[in-house]
């Protein structure tokens, strides 16, 4: 999508109430006047394709123009996706049944697609020797509609009106990962890019941590922090959607800074292999759980979230665009 089209679409779809609430919030947080913030957000939208969420999360009000140009804004993220992802192939990522079928070798857990009440016996067979299971809408996003339920036929009967949906075996999370937040599977978002020569590379790795819920999604109350893609070690606090940062988990008190992701080399190898399954979709964000048996794919996103901008993760004032651009190119 071109810059002009992106801006027109953004203006048409903007949540104006939230926009002006953000201006009020930034006025209180920074002491800058509302008109100054308003006109600066307009400048950033026109020059850097930054929405008001980008403006606040990246603290663009405190950045120089050179630093602002290095922020991966929503518009910049959209440019990567429009240029490198063939939308004729994104159904493999949108439809969870297709995803689970294509990437079966990397799931490492049982699953079943439920499309009708006639599958009651199939569900009973699936539920044998299981205490719980995950119910997932086939087209849900951001953890929406995901439930952890008792592995009982009553759960099937109570949710049959939601067909189609997937039932999946609960991931037996590695103890080190569970120490962060035991109520959710805490995942690693791995960004991969398929080069023009047919090889794949890791662009970035991010740890996503739940805060008491059953999902770790940033938009559903979770937190995120970069992971050193060479060592698997976390160097910065995790940030939530309110731009609060946590060096230790607010519920479990587990240290986040200094945390080392287990099975990290295996995780990278698995996602680099998975990236080549649909090479027409070149820029993908993979959500990977770490089970007691090692890494396992949860889902792939042809529209990787753009949580790369928080100020606490960029103490040198530099953004991520120069890092991404060194890898994401023809």
């Amino acid at each position: 999508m071109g810059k002009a089209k992106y801006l027109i679409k953004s203006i048409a779809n903007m949540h104006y109430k939230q926009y002006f609430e953000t201006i009020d919030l930034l006025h209180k947080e920074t002491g800058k006047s509302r008109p100054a913030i308003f006109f600066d957000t307009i400048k950033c939208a026109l020059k850097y394709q930054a929405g008001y969420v980008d403006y606040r999360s990246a603290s663009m009000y405190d950045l120089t123009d050179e630093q602002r140009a290095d922020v991966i804004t929503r518009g910049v993220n959209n440019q990567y996706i429009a240029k490198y992802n063939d939308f004729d192939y994104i159904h493999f990522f949108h439809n969870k049944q297709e995803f689970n079928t294509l990437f079966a070798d990397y799931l490492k857990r049982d699953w079943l697609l439920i499309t009708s009440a006639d599958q009651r016996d199939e569900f009973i067979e699936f539920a044998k020797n299981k205490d719980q299971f995950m119910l997932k809408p086939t087209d849900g996003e951001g953890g929406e509609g995901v439930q952890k339920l008792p592995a009982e036929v009553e759960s099937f009967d109570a949710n049959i009106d939601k067909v189609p949906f997937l039932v999946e075996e609960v991931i037996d999370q590695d103890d080190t990962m569970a120490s962060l937040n035991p109520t959710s599977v805490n995942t690693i978002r791995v960004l991969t890019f398929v080069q023009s020569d047919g090889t794949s590379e890791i662009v970035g790795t991010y740890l996503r941590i739940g805060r008491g819920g059953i999902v770790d999604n940033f938009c559903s109350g979770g937190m995120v922090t970069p992971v050193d893609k060479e060592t698997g070690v976390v160097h910065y606090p995790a940030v939530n959607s309110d731009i609060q940062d946590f060096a230790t988990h607010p519920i479990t008190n587990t240290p986040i800074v200094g945390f080392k992701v287990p099975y990290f080399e295996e995780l990278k190898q698995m996602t680099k292999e998975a990236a080549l399954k649909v090479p027409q979709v070149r820029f993908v964000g993979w959500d990977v759980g770490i089970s007691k048996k090692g890494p396992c794919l949860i889902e792939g996103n042809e529209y990787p979230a753009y949580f790369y901008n928080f100020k606490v993760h960029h103490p040198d004032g530099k953004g991520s665009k120069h890092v991404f651009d060194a890898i994401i190119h023809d």
Side-chain angles (χ1 to χ4, degrees):
M1 183 185 298
K3 290 184 179 181
K5 287 184 178 179
Y6 171 77
L7 288 171
I8 292 170
K9 184 177 180 180
S10 297
I11 292 169
N13 296 327
M14 183 183 290
H15 298 285
Y16 286 95
K17 182 174 183 292
Q18 293 177 14
Y19 172 44
F20 287 107
E21 286 175 350
T22 299
I23 290 177
D24 285 339
L25 183 62
L26 288 171
H27 165 66
K28 294 172 184 176
E29 290 178 347
T30 68
K32 298 177 184 290
S33 71
R34 292 180 179 85
I37 296 169
F38 172 79
F39 285 111
D40 199 35
T41 60
I42 299 301
K43 172 186 174 180
C44 287
L46 293 172
K47 193 169 183 179
Y48 310 109
Q49 295 183 267
Y52 61 89
V53 174
D54 297 319
Y55 186 84
R56 183 180 179 226
S57 66
S59 302
M60 294 182 79
Y61 47 83
D62 271 344
L63 301 182
T64 66
D65 282 353
E66 182 180 4
Q67 291 170 330
R68 288 173 169 185
D70 202 27
V71 173
I72 299 179
T73 63
R74 181 188 290 268
V76 171
N77 192 59
N78 286 352
Q79 288 176 7
Y80 290 143
I81 293 160
K83 183 173 183 179
Y84 296 111
N85 290 352
D86 187 334
F87 277 53
D88 288 337
Y89 292 86
I90 63 173
H91 57 89
F92 289 112
F93 300 96
H94 277 198
N95 185 288
K96 288 184 169 54
Q97 178 198 6
E98 291 189 61
F99 181 86
N100 281 15
T101 300
L102 182 61
F103 296 99
D105 291 344
Y106 306 110
L107 298 183
K108 302 177 185 176
R109 61 191 181 278
D110 293 336
W111 64 279
L112 178 66
L113 174 68
I114 302 297
T115 59
S116 77
D118 295 338
Q119 293 175 268
R120 201 168 190 263
D121 289 343
E122 286 184 75
F123 174 82
I124 292 172
E125 185 63 28
F126 163 85
K128 281 183 178 179
N129 302 317
K130 296 180 177 67
D131 295 323
Q132 295 178 307
F133 71 95
M134 303 301 297
L135 183 150
K136 297 182 179 181
T138 57
D139 58 355
E141 294 183 356
E144 183 179 357
V146 174
Q147 301 179 72
K148 181 186 284 188
L149 299 171
E152 302 169 353
V153 72
E154 289 79 8
S155 297
F156 176 89
D157 294 338
N159 290 280
I160 197 60
D161 61 328
K162 298 181 178 134
V163 295
F165 57 80
L166 292 182
V167 295
E168 290 186 1
E169 180 181 2
V170 175
I171 293 172
D172 188 11
Q173 185 168 214
D174 174 85
D175 290 341
T176 301
M177 295 297 292
S179 71
L180 290 166
N181 181 65
T183 64
S184 67
V185 174
N186 307 295
T187 61
I188 312 303
R189 171 66 62 89
V190 182
L191 306 178
T192 59
F193 183 72
V194 177
Q195 300 287 7
S196 55
D197 64 1
T199 61
S200 59
E201 289 191 51
I202 304 289
V203 181
T205 48
Y206 298 81
L207 173 62
R208 307 194 312 171
I209 310 167
R211 286 199 301 161
I214 66 167
V215 296
D216 65 349
N217 300 73
F218 184 73
C219 59
S220 300
M223 304 180 289
V224 66
T225 186
V227 178
D228 187 312
K229 68 177 183 176
E230 302 302 327
T231 66
V233 175
V234 173
H235 299 302
Y236 303 107
V239 176
N240 66 9
S241 59
D242 292 323
I243 324 297
Q244 298 170 310
D245 59 86
F246 302 89
T248 61
H249 195 284
I251 298 174
T252 64
N253 293 318
T254 299
I256 295 171
V257 176
F259 184 85
K260 182 173 175 59
V261 177
Y263 296 103
F264 195 67
E265 288 303 315
E266 294 90 336
L267 173 153
K268 291 195 293 183
Q269 184 60 38
M270 183 185 72
T271 50
K272 288 176 70 175
E273 289 179 9
L276 301 179
K277 286 280 190 179
V278 190
Q280 298 85 354
V281 183
R282 299 173 65 183
F283 183 38
V284 175
W286 307 93
D287 291 339
V288 183
I290 308 293
S291 77
K292 289 183 171 66
K293 299 176 183 178
C296 52
L297 279 189
I298 296 176
E299 65 180 26
N301 302 272
E302 91 293 341
Y303 190 100
Y306 57 106
F307 37 62
Y308 324 120
N309 303 321
F310 299 109
K311 185 177 182 180
V312 70
H313 299 156
H314 299 275
D316 59 1
K318 296 180 180 179
S320 300
K321 191 172 185 295
H322 72 284
V323 177
F324 279 41
D325 285 349
I327 299 172
I328 302 179
H329 57 78
D330 287 322

